[in-house]
PDB file of all heavy atoms in Angstrom:
ATOM      1  N   MET A   1       5.036 -13.226  25.156  1.00 39.00           N
ATOM      2  CA  MET A   1       4.528 -11.979  25.696  1.00 39.00           C
ATOM      3  C   MET A   1       5.578 -11.003  26.106  1.00 39.00           C
ATOM      4  O   MET A   1       5.662 -10.548  27.195  1.00 39.00           O
ATOM      5  CB  MET A   1       3.479 -12.161  26.769  1.00 39.00           C
ATOM      6  CG  MET A   1       2.389 -13.024  26.389  1.00 39.00           C
ATOM      7  SD  MET A   1       0.972 -12.701  27.599  1.00 39.00           S
ATOM      8  CE  MET A   1      -0.058 -11.848  26.651  1.00 39.00           C
ATOM      9  N   GLY A  23      10.443 -18.959  29.488  1.00 82.00           N
ATOM     10  CA  GLY A  23       9.039 -18.541  29.226  1.00 82.00           C
ATOM     11  C   GLY A  23       8.665 -17.997  27.906  1.00 82.00           C
ATOM     12  O   GLY A  23       7.535 -17.509  27.707  1.00 82.00           O
ATOM     13  N   SER A  24       9.730 -18.047  27.087  1.00 85.00           N
ATOM     14  CA  SER A  24       9.475 -17.406  25.581  1.00 85.00           C
ATOM     15  C   SER A  24       8.630 -18.221  24.821  1.00 85.00           C
ATOM     16  O   SER A  24       8.621 -19.389  24.922  1.00 85.00           O
ATOM     17  CB  SER A  24      10.921 -17.220  25.096  1.00 85.00           C
ATOM     18  OG  SER A  24      11.223 -18.337  24.474  1.00 85.00           O
ATOM     19  N   MET A  25       7.826 -17.501  24.121  1.00 86.00           N
ATOM     20  CA  MET A  25       6.754 -18.197  23.193  1.00 86.00           C
ATOM     21  C   MET A  25       7.688 -18.959  22.205  1.00 86.00           C
ATOM     22  O   MET A  25       7.101 -20.105  21.770  1.00 86.00           O
ATOM     23  CB  MET A  25       6.048 -17.048  22.416  1.00 86.00           C
ATOM     24  CG  MET A  25       4.713 -17.557  21.906  1.00 86.00           C
ATOM     25  SD  MET A  25       3.674 -18.101  23.382  1.00 86.00           S
ATOM     26  CE  MET A  25       3.262 -19.749  22.879  1.00 86.00           C
ATOM     27  N   ALA A  28       8.428 -22.130  23.478  1.00 91.00           N
ATOM     28  CA  ALA A  28       7.236 -22.999  23.612  1.00 91.00           C
ATOM     29  C   ALA A  28       6.724 -23.649  22.354  1.00 91.00           C
ATOM     30  O   ALA A  28       6.651 -24.817  22.274  1.00 91.00           O
ATOM     31  CB  ALA A  28       6.115 -22.037  24.172  1.00 91.00           C
ATOM     32  N   LEU A  32       6.692 -27.607  21.354  1.00 93.00           N
ATOM     33  CA  LEU A  32       5.461 -28.240  20.930  1.00 93.00           C
ATOM     34  C   LEU A  32       5.622 -29.087  19.669  1.00 93.00           C
ATOM     35  O   LEU A  32       5.366 -30.202  19.544  1.00 93.00           O
ATOM     36  CB  LEU A  32       4.372 -27.252  20.697  1.00 93.00           C
ATOM     37  CG  LEU A  32       3.657 -26.579  21.910  1.00 93.00           C
ATOM     38  CD1 LEU A  32       2.674 -25.426  21.455  1.00 93.00           C
ATOM     39  CD2 LEU A  32       2.996 -27.588  22.732  1.00 93.00           C
ATOM     40  N   LEU A  87       9.094 -28.729  28.147  1.00 93.00           N
ATOM     41  CA  LEU A  87       7.888 -28.149  27.985  1.00 93.00           C
ATOM     42  C   LEU A  87       7.013 -27.688  29.179  1.00 93.00           C
ATOM     43  O   LEU A  87       6.481 -26.717  29.262  1.00 93.00           O
ATOM     44  CB  LEU A  87       6.990 -29.102  26.998  1.00 93.00           C
ATOM     45  CG  LEU A  87       5.580 -28.572  26.608  1.00 93.00           C
ATOM     46  CD1 LEU A  87       5.854 -27.439  25.596  1.00 93.00           C
ATOM     47  CD2 LEU A  87       4.875 -29.655  25.902  1.00 93.00           C
ATOM     48  N   SER A  90       8.652 -24.814  30.691  1.00 93.00           N
ATOM     49  CA  SER A  90       8.390 -23.591  29.980  1.00 93.00           C
ATOM     50  C   SER A  90       6.871 -23.125  30.195  1.00 93.00           C
ATOM     51  O   SER A  90       6.648 -21.950  30.575  1.00 93.00           O
ATOM     52  CB  SER A  90       8.432 -23.965  28.456  1.00 93.00           C
ATOM     53  OG  SER A  90       7.860 -22.914  27.730  1.00 93.00           O
ATOM     54  N   THR A  91       6.148 -24.071  30.282  1.00 93.00           N
ATOM     55  CA  THR A  91       4.582 -23.840  30.643  1.00 93.00           C
ATOM     56  C   THR A  91       4.520 -23.162  32.023  1.00 93.00           C
ATOM     57  O   THR A  91       3.898 -22.105  32.310  1.00 93.00           O
ATOM     58  CB  THR A  91       3.726 -24.979  30.492  1.00 93.00           C
ATOM     59  OG1 THR A  91       4.137 -25.688  29.369  1.00 93.00           O
ATOM     60  CG2 THR A  91       2.231 -24.662  30.341  1.00 93.00           C
ATOM     61  N   CYS A  94       5.771 -19.880  32.005  1.00 90.00           N
ATOM     62  CA  CYS A  94       4.768 -18.963  31.381  1.00 90.00           C
ATOM     63  C   CYS A  94       3.794 -18.487  32.324  1.00 90.00           C
ATOM     64  O   CYS A  94       3.271 -17.384  32.320  1.00 90.00           O
ATOM     65  CB  CYS A  94       4.246 -19.701  30.090  1.00 90.00           C
ATOM     66  SG  CYS A  94       3.077 -18.723  29.290  1.00 90.00           S
ATOM     67  N   ASN A  98       2.668 -14.809  33.270  1.00 88.00           N
ATOM     68  CA  ASN A  98       1.583 -14.095  32.959  1.00 88.00           C
ATOM     69  C   ASN A  98       0.495 -14.336  33.891  1.00 88.00           C
ATOM     70  O   ASN A  98      -0.441 -13.546  34.052  1.00 88.00           O
ATOM     71  CB  ASN A  98       1.037 -14.700  31.611  1.00 88.00           C
ATOM     72  CG  ASN A  98       2.134 -14.606  30.563  1.00 88.00           C
ATOM     73  OD1 ASN A  98       3.034 -13.741  30.561  1.00 88.00           O
ATOM     74  ND2 ASN A  98       2.144 -15.634  29.666  1.00 88.00           N
ATOM     75  N   MET A 102      -2.711 -11.911  34.451  1.00 89.00           N
ATOM     76  CA  MET A 102      -4.198 -12.560  34.065  1.00 89.00           C
ATOM     77  C   MET A 102      -5.100 -12.442  35.316  1.00 89.00           C
ATOM     78  O   MET A 102      -6.254 -12.208  35.095  1.00 89.00           O
ATOM     79  CB  MET A 102      -3.801 -13.934  33.606  1.00 89.00           C
ATOM     80  CG  MET A 102      -2.932 -14.050  32.347  1.00 89.00           C
ATOM     81  SD  MET A 102      -3.952 -14.239  30.873  1.00 89.00           S
ATOM     82  CE  MET A 102      -2.628 -14.383  29.730  1.00 89.00           C
ATOM     83  N   ASN A 170     -12.370 -15.696  31.203  1.00 91.00           N
ATOM     84  CA  ASN A 170     -11.614 -15.957  30.090  1.00 91.00           C
ATOM     85  C   ASN A 170     -10.181 -16.199  30.509  1.00 91.00           C
ATOM     86  O   ASN A 170      -9.494 -16.969  30.079  1.00 91.00           O
ATOM     87  CB  ASN A 170     -11.719 -14.750  29.052  1.00 91.00           C
ATOM     88  CG  ASN A 170     -10.768 -15.112  27.852  1.00 91.00           C
ATOM     89  OD1 ASN A 170      -9.589 -14.756  27.906  1.00 91.00           O
ATOM     90  ND2 ASN A 170     -11.120 -15.836  26.799  1.00 91.00           N
ATOM     91  N   ARG A 171      -9.727 -15.301  31.453  1.00 91.00           N
ATOM     92  CA  ARG A 171      -8.379 -15.250  31.892  1.00 91.00           C
ATOM     93  C   ARG A 171      -8.245 -16.580  32.685  1.00 91.00           C
ATOM     94  O   ARG A 171      -7.123 -17.215  32.673  1.00 91.00           O
ATOM     95  CB  ARG A 171      -8.105 -14.042  32.844  1.00 91.00           C
ATOM     96  CG  ARG A 171      -7.750 -12.907  32.053  1.00 91.00           C
ATOM     97  CD  ARG A 171      -8.028 -12.885  30.583  1.00 91.00           C
ATOM     98  NE  ARG A 171      -7.125 -12.021  29.886  1.00 91.00           N
ATOM     99  CZ  ARG A 171      -6.426 -12.491  28.804  1.00 91.00           C
ATOM    100  NH1 ARG A 171      -6.427 -13.791  28.613  1.00 91.00           N
ATOM    101  NH2 ARG A 171      -5.610 -11.655  28.089  1.00 91.00           N
ATOM    102  N   TYR A 174      -7.163 -19.261  30.622  1.00 92.00           N
ATOM    103  CA  TYR A 174      -5.729 -19.391  30.216  1.00 92.00           C
ATOM    104  C   TYR A 174      -4.958 -20.077  31.362  1.00 92.00           C
ATOM    105  O   TYR A 174      -4.331 -21.023  31.219  1.00 92.00           O
ATOM    106  CB  TYR A 174      -5.130 -17.855  30.099  1.00 92.00           C
ATOM    107  CG  TYR A 174      -3.696 -17.866  30.133  1.00 92.00           C
ATOM    108  CD1 TYR A 174      -2.866 -18.223  29.102  1.00 92.00           C
ATOM    109  CD2 TYR A 174      -2.917 -17.716  31.404  1.00 92.00           C
ATOM    110  CE1 TYR A 174      -1.557 -18.182  29.087  1.00 92.00           C
ATOM    111  CE2 TYR A 174      -1.654 -17.806  31.415  1.00 92.00           C
ATOM    112  CZ  TYR A 174      -0.835 -17.974  30.237  1.00 92.00           C
ATOM    113  OH  TYR A 174       0.473 -18.038  30.336  1.00 92.00           O
ATOM    114  N   THR A 177      -5.974 -23.893  31.443  1.00 95.00           N
ATOM    115  CA  THR A 177      -5.342 -24.602  30.322  1.00 95.00           C
ATOM    116  C   THR A 177      -3.944 -24.950  30.569  1.00 95.00           C
ATOM    117  O   THR A 177      -3.422 -26.098  30.427  1.00 95.00           O
ATOM    118  CB  THR A 177      -5.455 -23.757  29.098  1.00 95.00           C
ATOM    119  OG1 THR A 177      -6.741 -23.340  28.896  1.00 95.00           O
ATOM    120  CG2 THR A 177      -4.979 -24.578  27.859  1.00 95.00           C
ATOM    121  N   HIS A 178      -3.156 -23.954  30.957  1.00 94.00           N
ATOM    122  CA  HIS A 178      -1.787 -24.178  31.043  1.00 94.00           C
ATOM    123  C   HIS A 178      -1.305 -24.819  32.311  1.00 94.00           C
ATOM    124  O   HIS A 178      -0.411 -25.753  32.317  1.00 94.00           O
ATOM    125  CB  HIS A 178      -1.001 -22.856  30.895  1.00 94.00           C
ATOM    126  CG  HIS A 178      -1.262 -22.272  29.558  1.00 94.00           C
ATOM    127  ND1 HIS A 178      -2.241 -21.427  29.222  1.00 94.00           N
ATOM    128  CD2 HIS A 178      -0.405 -22.317  28.401  1.00 94.00           C
ATOM    129  CE1 HIS A 178      -2.224 -21.179  27.994  1.00 94.00           C
ATOM    130  NE2 HIS A 178      -1.161 -21.705  27.340  1.00 94.00           N
ATOM    131  N   ILE A 181      -1.696 -28.545  31.700  1.00 95.00           N
ATOM    132  CA  ILE A 181      -0.604 -29.284  31.042  1.00 95.00           C
ATOM    133  C   ILE A 181       0.402 -29.793  32.095  1.00 95.00           C
ATOM    134  O   ILE A 181       0.853 -30.986  32.138  1.00 95.00           O
ATOM    135  CB  ILE A 181       0.226 -28.320  30.121  1.00 95.00           C
ATOM    136  CG1 ILE A 181      -0.828 -27.679  29.143  1.00 95.00           C
ATOM    137  CG2 ILE A 181       1.394 -29.034  29.496  1.00 95.00           C
ATOM    138  CD1 ILE A 181      -1.585 -28.744  28.277  1.00 95.00           C
ATOM    139  N   VAL A 611      -9.813 -24.673  28.018  1.00 96.00           N
ATOM    140  CA  VAL A 611      -9.887 -24.520  26.641  1.00 96.00           C
ATOM    141  C   VAL A 611     -11.213 -23.787  26.269  1.00 96.00           C
ATOM    142  O   VAL A 611     -11.284 -22.800  25.449  1.00 96.00           O
ATOM    143  CB  VAL A 611      -9.551 -25.796  25.848  1.00 96.00           C
ATOM    144  CG1 VAL A 611     -10.022 -25.592  24.281  1.00 96.00           C
ATOM    145  CG2 VAL A 611      -8.185 -26.224  26.077  1.00 96.00           C
ATOM    146  N   LEU A 614     -11.327 -20.294  27.333  1.00 93.00           N
ATOM    147  CA  LEU A 614     -10.467 -19.508  26.534  1.00 93.00           C
ATOM    148  C   LEU A 614     -11.212 -19.054  25.140  1.00 93.00           C
ATOM    149  O   LEU A 614     -11.096 -17.930  24.787  1.00 93.00           O
ATOM    150  CB  LEU A 614      -9.155 -20.357  26.384  1.00 93.00           C
ATOM    151  CG  LEU A 614      -7.851 -19.593  26.221  1.00 93.00           C
ATOM    152  CD1 LEU A 614      -7.753 -18.357  27.003  1.00 93.00           C
ATOM    153  CD2 LEU A 614      -6.797 -20.670  26.527  1.00 93.00           C
ATOM    154  N   PHE A 615     -11.697 -20.161  24.484  1.00 92.00           N
ATOM    155  CA  PHE A 615     -12.171 -19.879  23.248  1.00 92.00           C
ATOM    156  C   PHE A 615     -13.618 -19.147  23.210  1.00 92.00           C
ATOM    157  O   PHE A 615     -13.898 -18.350  22.258  1.00 92.00           O
ATOM    158  CB  PHE A 615     -12.298 -21.288  22.529  1.00 92.00           C
ATOM    159  CG  PHE A 615     -11.023 -21.646  22.052  1.00 92.00           C
ATOM    160  CD1 PHE A 615     -10.747 -23.051  22.173  1.00 92.00           C
ATOM    161  CD2 PHE A 615     -10.020 -20.749  21.426  1.00 92.00           C
ATOM    162  CE1 PHE A 615      -9.477 -23.619  21.789  1.00 92.00           C
ATOM    163  CE2 PHE A 615      -8.784 -21.399  21.112  1.00 92.00           C
ATOM    164  CZ  PHE A 615      -8.559 -22.707  21.305  1.00 92.00           C
ATOM    165  N   ARG A 643     -11.070 -10.939  22.348  1.00 82.00           N
ATOM    166  CA  ARG A 643     -10.934 -11.790  21.045  1.00 82.00           C
ATOM    167  C   ARG A 643     -12.215 -11.631  20.369  1.00 82.00           C
ATOM    168  O   ARG A 643     -13.107 -10.853  20.792  1.00 82.00           O
ATOM    169  CB  ARG A 643     -10.815 -13.237  21.737  1.00 82.00           C
ATOM    170  CG  ARG A 643     -11.825 -13.597  22.707  1.00 82.00           C
ATOM    171  CD  ARG A 643     -11.668 -15.061  23.111  1.00 82.00           C
ATOM    172  NE  ARG A 643     -10.285 -15.324  23.468  1.00 82.00           N
ATOM    173  CZ  ARG A 643      -9.486 -16.139  22.769  1.00 82.00           C
ATOM    174  NH1 ARG A 643      -9.895 -16.712  21.667  1.00 82.00           N
ATOM    175  NH2 ARG A 643      -8.220 -16.463  23.196  1.00 82.00           N
TER     176      ARG A 643
ATOM    177  N   TYR B 292      -9.220 -19.252  11.738  1.00 93.00           N
ATOM    178  CA  TYR B 292      -8.899 -19.292  13.180  1.00 93.00           C
ATOM    179  C   TYR B 292     -10.093 -19.886  14.019  1.00 93.00           C
ATOM    180  O   TYR B 292      -9.920 -20.787  14.801  1.00 93.00           O
ATOM    181  CB  TYR B 292      -8.596 -17.806  13.731  1.00 93.00           C
ATOM    182  CG  TYR B 292      -8.565 -17.826  15.305  1.00 93.00           C
ATOM    183  CD1 TYR B 292      -7.503 -18.341  15.948  1.00 93.00           C
ATOM    184  CD2 TYR B 292      -9.650 -17.165  15.922  1.00 93.00           C
ATOM    185  CE1 TYR B 292      -7.438 -18.279  17.316  1.00 93.00           C
ATOM    186  CE2 TYR B 292      -9.575 -17.158  17.260  1.00 93.00           C
ATOM    187  CZ  TYR B 292      -8.591 -17.671  18.033  1.00 93.00           C
ATOM    188  OH  TYR B 292      -8.365 -17.644  19.325  1.00 93.00           O
ATOM    189  N   PHE B 299      -9.800 -27.432  17.813  1.00 97.00           N
ATOM    190  CA  PHE B 299      -8.892 -27.992  18.912  1.00 97.00           C
ATOM    191  C   PHE B 299      -9.652 -28.269  20.179  1.00 97.00           C
ATOM    192  O   PHE B 299      -9.399 -29.174  20.810  1.00 97.00           O
ATOM    193  CB  PHE B 299      -7.991 -26.666  19.089  1.00 97.00           C
ATOM    194  CG  PHE B 299      -7.011 -26.891  20.183  1.00 97.00           C
ATOM    195  CD1 PHE B 299      -5.660 -27.609  19.700  1.00 97.00           C
ATOM    196  CD2 PHE B 299      -7.028 -26.479  21.412  1.00 97.00           C
ATOM    197  CE1 PHE B 299      -4.646 -27.804  20.669  1.00 97.00           C
ATOM    198  CE2 PHE B 299      -6.069 -26.760  22.360  1.00 97.00           C
ATOM    199  CZ  PHE B 299      -4.971 -27.376  21.997  1.00 97.00           C
ATOM    200  N   TRP B 334      -2.816 -32.689  17.823  1.00 96.00           N
ATOM    201  CA  TRP B 334      -3.137 -31.685  18.923  1.00 96.00           C
ATOM    202  C   TRP B 334      -2.112 -30.705  19.022  1.00 96.00           C
ATOM    203  O   TRP B 334      -2.099 -29.473  18.970  1.00 96.00           O
ATOM    204  CB  TRP B 334      -3.586 -32.497  20.145  1.00 96.00           C
ATOM    205  CG  TRP B 334      -4.033 -31.734  21.163  1.00 96.00           C
ATOM    206  CD1 TRP B 334      -5.306 -31.265  21.313  1.00 96.00           C
ATOM    207  CD2 TRP B 334      -3.400 -31.283  22.495  1.00 96.00           C
ATOM    208  NE1 TRP B 334      -5.422 -30.565  22.457  1.00 96.00           N
ATOM    209  CE2 TRP B 334      -4.309 -30.519  23.180  1.00 96.00           C
ATOM    210  CE3 TRP B 334      -2.014 -31.442  22.882  1.00 96.00           C
ATOM    211  CZ2 TRP B 334      -4.030 -30.152  24.415  1.00 96.00           C
ATOM    212  CZ3 TRP B 334      -1.765 -30.998  24.114  1.00 96.00           C
ATOM    213  CH2 TRP B 334      -2.776 -30.230  24.862  1.00 96.00           C
ATOM    214  N   LEU B 335      -0.925 -31.210  19.188  1.00 96.00           N
ATOM    215  CA  LEU B 335       0.294 -30.329  19.377  1.00 96.00           C
ATOM    216  C   LEU B 335       0.572 -29.422  18.314  1.00 96.00           C
ATOM    217  O   LEU B 335       0.764 -28.149  18.496  1.00 96.00           O
ATOM    218  CB  LEU B 335       1.549 -31.156  19.674  1.00 96.00           C
ATOM    219  CG  LEU B 335       1.715 -32.009  20.930  1.00 96.00           C
ATOM    220  CD1 LEU B 335       2.858 -33.045  20.878  1.00 96.00           C
ATOM    221  CD2 LEU B 335       1.799 -31.071  22.049  1.00 96.00           C
ATOM    222  N   ALA B 338      -1.950 -26.746  18.579  1.00 95.00           N
ATOM    223  CA  ALA B 338      -1.566 -25.852  19.732  1.00 95.00           C
ATOM    224  C   ALA B 338      -0.624 -24.955  19.247  1.00 95.00           C
ATOM    225  O   ALA B 338      -0.653 -23.747  19.535  1.00 95.00           O
ATOM    226  CB  ALA B 338      -1.091 -26.629  20.800  1.00 95.00           C
ATOM    227  N   LEU B 341      -2.112 -22.171  17.064  1.00 94.00           N
ATOM    228  CA  LEU B 341      -2.833 -21.308  17.925  1.00 94.00           C
ATOM    229  C   LEU B 341      -1.881 -20.249  18.589  1.00 94.00           C
ATOM    230  O   LEU B 341      -2.119 -19.022  18.542  1.00 94.00           O
ATOM    231  CB  LEU B 341      -3.733 -21.881  18.949  1.00 94.00           C
ATOM    232  CG  LEU B 341      -4.917 -22.610  18.301  1.00 94.00           C
ATOM    233  CD1 LEU B 341      -5.545 -23.517  19.444  1.00 94.00           C
ATOM    234  CD2 LEU B 341      -5.976 -21.701  17.725  1.00 94.00           C
ATOM    235  N   HIS B 342      -0.772 -20.733  19.023  1.00 93.00           N
ATOM    236  CA  HIS B 342       0.063 -19.832  19.737  1.00 93.00           C
ATOM    237  C   HIS B 342       0.749 -18.876  18.792  1.00 93.00           C
ATOM    238  O   HIS B 342       0.715 -17.707  19.103  1.00 93.00           O
ATOM    239  CB  HIS B 342       1.135 -20.478  20.487  1.00 93.00           C
ATOM    240  CG  HIS B 342       0.709 -21.203  21.820  1.00 93.00           C
ATOM    241  ND1 HIS B 342       0.035 -22.518  21.767  1.00 93.00           N
ATOM    242  CD2 HIS B 342       0.753 -20.749  22.975  1.00 93.00           C
ATOM    243  CE1 HIS B 342      -0.217 -22.605  23.028  1.00 93.00           C
ATOM    244  NE2 HIS B 342      -0.054 -21.705  23.783  1.00 93.00           N
ATOM    245  N   MET B 345      -2.183 -16.347  18.163  1.00 82.00           N
ATOM    246  CA  MET B 345      -2.527 -15.578  19.365  1.00 82.00           C
ATOM    247  C   MET B 345      -1.460 -14.710  19.884  1.00 82.00           C
ATOM    248  O   MET B 345      -1.642 -13.424  20.042  1.00 82.00           O
ATOM    249  CB  MET B 345      -3.018 -16.513  20.395  1.00 82.00           C
ATOM    250  CG  MET B 345      -4.435 -16.768  20.590  1.00 82.00           C
ATOM    251  SD  MET B 345      -5.286 -15.233  20.652  1.00 82.00           S
ATOM    252  CE  MET B 345      -5.330 -14.906  22.279  1.00 82.00           C
ATOM    253  N   THR B 346      -0.268 -15.248  20.185  1.00 77.00           N
ATOM    254  CA  THR B 346       0.753 -14.530  20.918  1.00 77.00           C
ATOM    255  C   THR B 346       1.819 -14.002  20.041  1.00 77.00           C
ATOM    256  O   THR B 346       2.500 -12.988  20.468  1.00 77.00           O
ATOM    257  CB  THR B 346       1.278 -15.459  21.924  1.00 77.00           C
ATOM    258  OG1 THR B 346       1.897 -16.571  21.267  1.00 77.00           O
ATOM    259  CG2 THR B 346       0.321 -16.014  22.951  1.00 77.00           C
TER     260      THR B 346
HETATM  261  C1  HEM C 701       1.167 -28.174  25.713  1.00 54.47           C
HETATM  262  C2  HEM C 701       1.348 -26.796  25.865  1.00 54.47           C
HETATM  263  C3  HEM C 701       0.334 -25.750  25.745  1.00 54.47           C
HETATM  264  C4  HEM C 701      -0.926 -25.847  25.304  1.00 54.47           C
HETATM  265  C5  HEM C 701      -1.729 -27.087  24.924  1.00 54.47           C
HETATM  266  C6  HEM C 701      -1.481 -24.474  25.316  1.00 54.47           C
HETATM  267  C7  HEM C 701      -2.733 -24.225  24.884  1.00 54.47           C
HETATM  268  C8  HEM C 701      -3.110 -22.869  24.700  1.00 54.47           C
HETATM  269  C9  HEM C 701      -4.366 -22.562  24.122  1.00 54.47           C
HETATM  270  C10 HEM C 701      -5.322 -23.502  23.641  1.00 54.47           C
HETATM  271  C11 HEM C 701      -4.363 -21.132  24.093  1.00 54.47           C
HETATM  272  C12 HEM C 701      -5.563 -20.374  23.463  1.00 54.47           C
HETATM  273  C13 HEM C 701      -5.194 -19.854  22.134  1.00 54.47           C
HETATM  274  C14 HEM C 701      -6.213 -18.996  21.561  1.00 54.47           C
HETATM  275  O1  HEM C 701      -6.867 -18.381  22.332  1.00 54.47           O
HETATM  276  O2  HEM C 701      -6.276 -18.848  20.356  1.00 54.47           O
HETATM  277  C15 HEM C 701      -3.280 -20.692  24.708  1.00 54.47           C
HETATM  278  C16 HEM C 701      -3.060 -19.258  24.697  1.00 54.47           C
HETATM  279  C17 HEM C 701      -1.727 -18.892  25.189  1.00 54.47           C
HETATM  280  N1  HEM C 701      -0.667 -19.795  25.604  1.00 54.47           N
HETATM  281 FE1  HEM C 701      -0.673 -21.642  25.629  1.00 54.47          FE
HETATM  282  N2  HEM C 701      -0.409 -23.672  25.607  1.00 54.47           N
HETATM  283  C18 HEM C 701       0.661 -24.358  25.841  1.00 54.47           C
HETATM  284  C19 HEM C 701       1.914 -24.030  26.303  1.00 54.47           C
HETATM  285  C20 HEM C 701       2.142 -22.627  26.386  1.00 54.47           C
HETATM  286  C21 HEM C 701       3.404 -22.131  26.841  1.00 54.47           C
HETATM  287  C22 HEM C 701       4.736 -23.065  27.182  1.00 54.47           C
HETATM  288  C23 HEM C 701       3.225 -20.812  27.076  1.00 54.47           C
HETATM  289  C24 HEM C 701       4.485 -19.866  27.444  1.00 54.47           C
HETATM  290  C25 HEM C 701       5.412 -19.474  26.567  1.00 54.47           C
HETATM  291  C26 HEM C 701       2.058 -20.450  26.492  1.00 54.47           C
HETATM  292  C27 HEM C 701       1.504 -19.110  26.391  1.00 54.47           C
HETATM  293  C28 HEM C 701       0.230 -18.874  26.019  1.00 54.47           C
HETATM  294  C29 HEM C 701      -0.221 -17.515  25.974  1.00 54.47           C
HETATM  295  C30 HEM C 701       0.469 -16.273  26.463  1.00 54.47           C
HETATM  296  C31 HEM C 701      -1.487 -17.548  25.433  1.00 54.47           C
HETATM  297  C32 HEM C 701      -2.346 -16.428  25.144  1.00 54.47           C
HETATM  298  C33 HEM C 701      -3.484 -16.292  26.221  1.00 54.47           C
HETATM  299  C34 HEM C 701      -4.493 -15.159  25.830  1.00 54.47           C
HETATM  300  O3  HEM C 701      -3.965 -14.074  25.745  1.00 54.47           O
HETATM  301  O4  HEM C 701      -5.638 -15.511  25.800  1.00 54.47           O
HETATM  302  N3  HEM C 701       1.330 -21.596  26.153  1.00 54.47           N
HETATM  303  N4  HEM C 701      -2.478 -21.875  24.926  1.00 54.47           N
END
Side-chain angles (χ1 to χ4, degrees):
Chain A
M1 297 203 108
S24 76
M25 205 64 236
L32 290 176
L87 183 63
S90 167
T91 318
C94 178
N98 305 331
M102 297 260 187
N170 174 275
R171 279 13 210 124
Y174 166 84
T177 308
H178 294 82
I181 303 307
V611 169
L614 208 39
F615 286 136
R643 51 180 52 245
Chain B
Y292 168 73
F299 187 84
W334 189 75
L335 290 168
L341 288 169
H342 283 85
M345 263 308 276
T346 58

